Amino acid sequence: MPADPVPSPAEPTVHVAPGFPVVGVVGAGQLARMMAPPAVELGVGLRVLAESAQASAAQVIPDAPVGDHRDEAAVRAFAAGADVLTFDHEHVPQPILQALEADGVAVRPPAAALAHAQDKLVMRRRLTDLGVPCPCWRQVATLDELEAFATEVGDVVLKTPTGGYDGKGVLVLPADGPRDEAQRWLAARPDGLLAEEKVPFTRELAVLVARSPSGQAAAWPVVESIQVDGICHEVIAPAPGLDDGTAALATEIGLKLAGELGVVGVLAVELFQTRSPDGTTGVLVNELAMRPHNSGHWTIDGSLTSQFEQHLRAVLDLPLGDPRPRARWAVMVNVLGGDYPDLYRSYLHVMARDPGVKVHLYGKEVRPGRKVGHVTVTGRDLDDVRARARHAAAFITGEIDE
Amino acid sequence: MPADPVPSPAEPTVHVAPGFPVVGVVGAGQLARMMAPPAVELGVGLRVLAESAQASAAQVIPDAPVGDHRDEAAVRAFAAGADVLTFDHEHVPQPILQALEADGVAVRPPAAALAHAQDKLVMRRRLTDLGVPCPCWRQVATLDELEAFATEVGDVVLKTPTGGYDGKGVLVLPADGPRDEAQRWLAARPDGLLAEEKVPFTRELAVLVARSPSGQAAAWPVVESIQVDGICHEVIAPAPGLDDGTAALATEIGLKLAGELGVVGVLAVELFQTRSPDGTTGVLVNELAMRPHNSGHWTIDGSLTSQFEQHLRAVLDLPLGDPRPRARWAVMVNVLGGDYPDLYRSYLHVMARDPGVKVHLYGKEVRPGRKVGHVTVTGRDLDDVRARARHAAAFITGEIDE
């Protein structure tokens, strides 16, 4: 894509103390919104390129120009008002990122790293080259290729290489099931799809690390994440009963990937925990994200340095903060939109019932299944912490009313 | 003051999810700024009436109209865009507050309560009526009255009833010292000054409580505050070695005053701890503030519910949060402007040296003695926590360079 003429930089509208930098975030979802509190505390400037003036982060960040992240001129003009560019999502096209880098914009994570979070085929190839444990996978462009792969591995998970999230872009294909939906997917993406074995995992884990341009890295404890229909529902930090060897292996994978891929900022690695017939446990990498991630929301209340503060520190090449937990256990439960639109009324009751629950809402209107907030509870007794977090989330969404 | 015609409410510029309220804060200093992070998390709207577009809170809050808090029309128009009105400072004149209340604006704390934080003579009279322990005091309008009081108590502290802060508006008069400065003060305030005995205290304590309109109240642990030249330098939470009886007495005073004065929001009670010749300790009330207070900044990192979140919950009549500490000790040290203007460079070094220190900056330009930020360290070993917090603050200001 040829570069558009560079628009003149807009008047700076972020006020910061002299000498302090401005971070520009492409996208104004809840991840950008949750960067606002640590930016306020650190005294660094924040601007977001917003989908709309009412977007989650645009509600709370003064400098939130509305623009399209697929429009090179818009991204370029936006970046001109910031010292570094980072992201709320992975959807900025590679040609735009590369053009900005060619012009000297500090894109963090860099385009070459971000490619692994944008395209699952790129990711699988690279991880396999690096010897990082992955599910069996194959690039398939025809039904014959798909069937050949299914013959080898049994049940197959078919994924669109780009654009999937929260269970979208994923099709589970039992070994002997129908293939008509798969055929439609293949026809729509003649460049090929990613086929993976359906891993018989015991549970899902995630490891979050942060890395700065100067190579400093820090990892939070490995967590367990509980997904329903491909959407994260609950995260327990640290993962209960995880043996030290597996925890160390998962952390090693996170740190290795951050370094090898040249990640800057937060890297989330979603993992399957597996158990072989002899009882030994292992991990396989499921997905990567190069930004703060749902599996790290517990860090706001549960860690000395939250993933949002750490992301800002990392992209600014500030020394990283201590990722140590503040409590023995932290449980985060997502608040998904339900039938009950009046969140304010229900969260008032949750606060009355449990003064220790931390409620985080994203300023969004309720739509069924939409992530509109999360709750976190910390403490010493996992059963108690988990029950309280689940109850609070279910009450806010209106699933239960007592 | 007659009410000005009510200007038509401005277009709402605070975007919140349906059903969520907006808090309007008069004043855009660091206290309003530190309300922004919990407002983002709670999903409630926040607007500030700012002294300037570059003011500390105006930098980080999208809806920050510039206006004069002494201009009734400006305050009225501002209040029309919020569900409740609260404050960054105590400087809004009583007639404006009363006029707004007469028109049904939810002023929190109410004008009648706030009077006790605005006028030290009003405060002393009421506290004495309530039987709350205070230093000996007298209203004095002439040098003769002042001398008569000095004959009774010895050294005197002369205070302007209104407008003082951070050691300003306070004149210490040794029993046998000169009186020419006092005479100038008396001449300038013919309505009278507050004269107090200079209390031979062993240390200064502070108790912070929050109270909601429905009467719910919560107290944080009593802290020790270390002042230099009338400016808070350091706060240790909880106050080291404080006996249970004195802690309970201080907490009782805080809760009693919040209830009796009808406070809504955070009330800070600054106390002198005293020791009588027989060794028993007691407390005397020094000052009141009805807003988040410097002695409570440690709660951001050290308590399950920060004073800023609690203030928002209280003024909105939401159930109050759990004020329990997150760690055994928290030490907060103010970052005062020094000779070194490049805060960004020095705080980068502090972060590198101590990844566990929480740095909070207010977006202000450095001016000597100005509060430009604070640091908090939490942990189990008080000596370690205190040394780290002091070192970080001194390094940021440039007092030390290693």
Side-chain angles (χ1 to χ4, degrees):
Chain A
M1 184 189 297
D4 292 319
V6 184
S8 56
E11 273 296 292
T13 52
V14 184
H15 294 295
V16 287
F20 280 70
V22 175
V23 176
V25 185
V26 178
Q30 66 262 31
L31 301 179
R33 180 186 175 101
M34 289 186 268
M35 292 179 203
V40 169
E41 295 179 346
L42 293 172
V44 301
L46 198 60
R47 65 186 326 228
V48 291
L49 184 62
E51 295 76 9
S52 78
Q54 292 76 41
S56 182
Q59 294 175 9
V60 300
I61 295 171
D63 187 20
V66 173
D68 187 337
H69 61 266
R70 297 160 303 186
D71 173 352
E72 180 169 336
V75 178
R76 197 180 281 276
F78 174 74
D83 296 286
V84 303
L85 196 68
T86 191
F87 309 95
D88 172 84
H89 56 64
E90 292 93 357
H91 308 324
V92 180
Q94 276 284 326
I96 296 182
L97 298 173
Q98 290 165 9
L100 290 172
E101 284 180 345
D103 290 347
V105 174
V107 177
R108 294 175 177 176
L114 200 60
H116 302 90
Q118 292 181 311
D119 188 318
K120 297 190 210 309
L121 280 165
V122 172
M123 182 267 285
R124 282 289 177 235
R125 264 182 228 118
R126 185 66 188 279
L127 266 57
T128 304
D129 286 349
L130 290 170
V132 171
C134 292
C136 291
W137 67 276
R138 188 149 320 150
Q139 180 170 359
V140 296
T142 66
L143 201 56
D144 283 349
E145 287 172 1
L146 175 62
E147 285 305 349
F149 182 65
T151 306
E152 287 175 41
V153 302
D155 298 348
V156 168
V157 181
L158 198 62
K159 296 179 174 178
T160 56
T162 60
Y165 70 98
D166 281 356
K168 291 179 178 64
V170 173
L171 183 63
V172 179
L173 299 170
D176 54 359
R179 294 288 188 259
D180 39 337
E181 181 75 6
Q183 201 149 15
R184 273 194 293 276
W185 282 42
L186 287 162
R189 300 286 288 248
D191 46 332
L193 294 168
L194 171 63
E196 296 178 349
E197 64 169 326
K198 187 165 181 288
V199 174
F201 58 83
T202 52
R203 60 175 170 173
E204 293 190 65
L205 303 174
V207 60
L208 255 79
V209 302
R211 184 175 174 276
S212 64
S214 53
Q216 196 194 1
W220 287 272
V222 177
V223 300
E224 175 174 352
S225 97
I226 294 151
Q227 318 272 328
V228 180
D229 298 331
I231 298 177
C232 175
H233 270 233
E234 184 177 331
V235 171
I236 307 173
L242 187 65
D243 62 286
D244 290 349
T246 308
L249 174 62
T251 305
E252 254 177 61
I253 290 173
L255 292 171
K256 175 178 178 170
L257 286 179
E260 292 285 352
L261 306 183
V263 176
V264 173
V266 168
L267 167 70
V269 183
E270 295 183 87
L271 300 157
F272 296 126
Q273 186 173 12
T274 58
R275 190 193 307 268
S276 60
D278 69 359
T280 55
T281 62
V283 293
L284 300 173
V285 172
N286 180 20
E287 306 273 0
L288 299 186
M290 291 184 196
R291 47 167 172 76
H293 186 258
N294 204 159
S295 63
H297 289 357
W298 68 274
T299 60
I300 299 173
D301 301 299
S303 169
L304 207 49
T305 307
S306 81
Q307 64 166 345
F308 300 99
E309 176 178 346
Q310 200 77 300
H311 189 75
L312 293 175
R313 289 167 79 143
V315 301
L316 288 168
D317 208 9
L318 283 167
L320 298 183
D322 188 340
R324 223 174 309 181
R326 289 177 176 274
R328 177 73 186 90
W329 297 105
V331 174
M332 187 283 323
V333 179
N334 275 336
V335 176
L336 302 177
D339 298 329
Y340 191 62
D342 190 354
L343 290 183
Y344 190 70
R345 201 176 158 72
S346 55
Y347 105 138
L348 188 152
H349 281 96
V350 163
M351 289 181 183
R353 185 189 156 106
D354 189 343
V357 67
K358 303 308 291 182
V359 180
H360 299 257
L361 294 179
Y362 307 153
K364 295 179 171 183
E365 280 189 58
V366 169
R367 286 204 301 255
R370 189 185 205 193
K371 288 178 186 170
V372 294
H374 72 267
V375 300
T376 303
V377 177
T378 56
R380 288 184 195 173
D381 177 340
L382 177 57
D383 290 341
D384 169 68
V385 164
R386 200 170 178 193
R388 288 165 57 202
R390 285 178 165 193
H391 186 277
F395 197 100
I396 295 177
T397 57
E399 257 177 72
I400 53 175
D401 61 0
E402 50 71 50
Chain B
M1 186 189 295
D4 293 320
V6 183
S8 55
E11 273 297 292
T13 52
V14 184
H15 294 295
V16 287
F20 280 69
V22 174
V23 176
V25 185
V26 178
Q30 67 261 31
L31 300 179
R33 179 185 176 103
M34 288 186 270
M35 292 179 202
V40 169
E41 296 180 345
L42 294 172
V44 300
L46 198 60
R47 65 186 325 227
V48 291
L49 183 62
E51 296 77 9
S52 78
Q54 290 76 41
S56 181
Q59 294 175 10
V60 299
I61 295 171
D63 187 20
V66 173
D68 187 337
H69 61 266
R70 295 159 304 186
D71 171 354
E72 181 168 335
V75 178
R76 197 179 281 276
F78 174 75
D83 296 285
V84 303
L85 196 69
T86 191
F87 309 95
D88 172 84
H89 56 63
E90 292 94 356
H91 308 323
V92 180
Q94 276 285 325
I96 295 181
L97 299 174
Q98 290 165 11
L100 290 171
E101 283 179 347
D103 290 347
V105 174
V107 177
R108 294 176 176 175
L114 200 59
H116 302 89
Q118 293 180 309
D119 187 319
K120 296 191 210 308
L121 280 165
V122 172
M123 183 267 286
R124 283 288 177 234
R125 264 181 227 118
R126 185 65 188 280
L127 265 58
T128 303
D129 286 350
L130 289 170
V132 171
C134 290
C136 292
W137 66 276
R138 188 148 320 149
Q139 180 169 2
V140 296
T142 66
L143 201 56
D144 284 349
E145 287 172 359
L146 176 63
E147 286 305 349
F149 183 66
T151 306
E152 286 175 40
V153 302
D155 298 347
V156 170
V157 180
L158 198 63
K159 295 179 174 177
T160 56
T162 61
Y165 69 98
D166 281 356
K168 291 180 180 62
V170 172
L171 184 63
V172 179
L173 298 169
D176 52 0
R179 294 290 187 259
D180 39 337
E181 181 75 6
Q183 200 148 17
R184 274 193 293 275
W185 282 41
L186 287 161
R189 300 286 287 248
D191 46 333
L193 294 168
L194 171 63
E196 295 179 349
E197 63 168 326
K198 186 164 181 289
V199 174
F201 57 84
T202 52
R203 61 175 171 174
E204 294 190 66
L205 303 173
V207 61
L208 256 79
V209 302
R211 184 176 174 275
S212 63
S214 53
Q216 197 195 359
W220 287 273
V222 177
V223 301
E224 176 173 352
S225 99
I226 293 153
Q227 318 272 327
V228 179
D229 298 331
I231 298 177
C232 174
H233 270 232
E234 184 178 331
V235 170
I236 307 173
L242 187 66
D243 62 286
D244 290 350
T246 306
L249 174 63
T251 306
E252 253 179 61
I253 289 173
L255 292 171
K256 175 178 178 170
L257 285 179
E260 292 286 351
L261 306 183
V263 176
V264 172
V266 168
L267 167 70
V269 183
E270 295 183 87
L271 300 157
F272 296 125
Q273 186 174 11
T274 57
R275 190 193 307 269
S276 60
D278 69 359
T280 56
T281 63
V283 292
L284 300 171
V285 172
N286 179 19
E287 306 274 0
L288 299 187
M290 291 184 196
R291 47 166 173 77
H293 187 258
N294 203 161
S295 64
H297 289 357
W298 69 274
T299 59
I300 299 173
D301 301 298
S303 170
L304 208 49
T305 308
S306 81
Q307 64 166 345
F308 299 99
E309 176 178 347
Q310 199 76 301
H311 189 75
L312 293 174
R313 290 167 78 143
V315 301
L316 287 169
D317 208 9
L318 283 167
L320 299 182
D322 188 339
R324 224 175 308 180
R326 287 176 178 274
R328 176 73 186 90
W329 297 105
V331 173
M332 188 284 323
V333 179
N334 276 336
V335 176
L336 302 176
D339 298 330
Y340 192 62
D342 190 354
L343 289 183
Y344 189 70
R345 202 178 158 71
S346 56
Y347 106 140
L348 187 152
H349 282 95
V350 163
M351 288 181 182
R353 184 189 156 106
D354 189 343
V357 67
K358 302 310 289 183
V359 180
H360 299 257
L361 294 180
Y362 307 152
K364 295 179 171 184
E365 279 189 58
V366 169
R367 286 203 302 254
R370 190 186 204 191
K371 288 178 186 169
V372 293
H374 73 267
V375 300
T376 303
V377 177
T378 56
R380 288 185 194 172
D381 176 340
L382 177 57
D383 289 341
D384 170 67
V385 164
R386 201 171 177 191
R388 288 166 57 203
R390 284 179 166 192
H391 185 278
F395 198 100
I396 296 177
T397 57
E399 257 177 72
I400 52 174
D401 60 2
E402 49 71 49

